[in-house]
Amino acid sequence: MITILVILAFLADLYKDNFSTNTGAYPYLQFLLTALFMAAVLGLISVILYFQTKTSRTFLIHPAWDKMHVIVLSVLFLSIVIFISLVIFTPLASVVEHSRWILYIILYYFLFLASVLTLSLVHKNNKSLGNQQKIRSSFVWTLLILLLVIFFLPGL
C-alpha cells in the first residue's frame, strides 16, 4: 500500500503541469482530479486500516479507542500549529517547491490523521457496527467532509 501511495504521488507530480494548464478547456477537470486523488489516497489508507483489523485483535476494541477522538484531534491541532510555524519561520516553502515529495508526505500525514479522527468518531457513535463497516463509513465521511471543506466552503 505504501508503494502504491509513492507511485500515486509520483504520477501526480509527473502530470501536475499537464492538468493545471488544461483546466481552461475543462473547468471541472481540476476538481475531478483532486477529488479522485483524495479518494484514492483515503481509499488506500482505509485498506491499511482494514488490514489492521485482520492482523490485530485489539484494533478498535481497545479501551483507548473510546478516547481516541480527543487524542487524534490534539495531535492534528498540534501538527497544524507546527506546520504553520515551519512555513512561517523556516524556508519550508522553498524546500517544498524544489522537492515536491515532501508535500506529498505532509499531505498523506494529514489525510491519515483526518481518516483516523473520523474513524474514532464513527467508532464512538456507532459501537454496534462491525470494524469493516466502521472503516467504510469513515472513508465516506472523511472524503465528503474534505471535499466540502476544500471546494465549497472557500467559495462562501
Side-chain angles (χ1 to χ4, degrees):
M1 293 302 139
I2 302 295
T3 306
I4 295 172
L5 287 171
V6 170
I7 291 169
L8 190 60
F10 176 74
L11 290 174
D13 190 47
L14 185 66
Y15 291 109
K16 72 180 179 334
D17 293 332
N18 294 340
F19 293 131
S20 63
T21 57
N22 291 333
T23 55
Y26 304 103
Y28 297 107
L29 182 65
Q30 191 70 30
F31 170 78
L32 179 65
L33 292 174
T34 304
L36 287 174
F37 179 77
M38 282 182 19
V41 171
L42 288 173
L44 290 170
I45 290 171
S46 295
V47 168
I48 291 170
L49 293 173
Y50 175 76
F51 286 151
Q52 186 64 31
T53 64
K54 296 294 184 186
T55 60
S56 173
R57 292 180 183 236
T58 61
F59 188 70
L60 294 176
I61 297 171
H62 195 276
W65 276 98
D66 293 333
K67 298 176 184 95
M68 193 62 72
H69 62 285
V70 175
I71 296 168
V72 175
L73 191 61
S74 302
V75 170
L76 182 63
F77 178 73
L78 184 64
S79 297
I80 290 171
V81 168
I82 290 171
F83 177 71
I84 291 172
S85 300
L86 287 174
V87 168
I88 292 173
F89 298 116
T90 65
L92 181 65
S94 63
V95 171
V96 168
E97 187 177 321
H98 292 69
S99 303
R100 288 186 60 95
W101 59 271
I102 296 171
L103 178 68
Y104 292 110
I105 291 173
I106 294 168
L107 179 69
Y108 290 164
Y109 173 73
F110 281 111
L111 286 175
F112 176 76
L113 285 179
S115 182
V116 172
L117 176 64
T118 308
L119 178 62
S120 65
L121 290 172
V122 168
H123 173 72
K124 182 179 187 310
N125 294 325
N126 297 322
K127 298 242 186 221
S128 62
L129 292 176
N131 288 346
Q132 292 82 11
Q133 190 67 18
K134 289 177 188 176
I135 292 171
R136 274 188 239 126
S137 180
S138 70
F139 164 74
V140 171
W141 278 110
T142 305
L143 185 62
L144 289 176
I145 290 169
L146 287 175
L147 289 176
L148 177 74
V149 167
I150 291 172
F151 293 112
F152 299 114
L153 287 183
L156 295 177

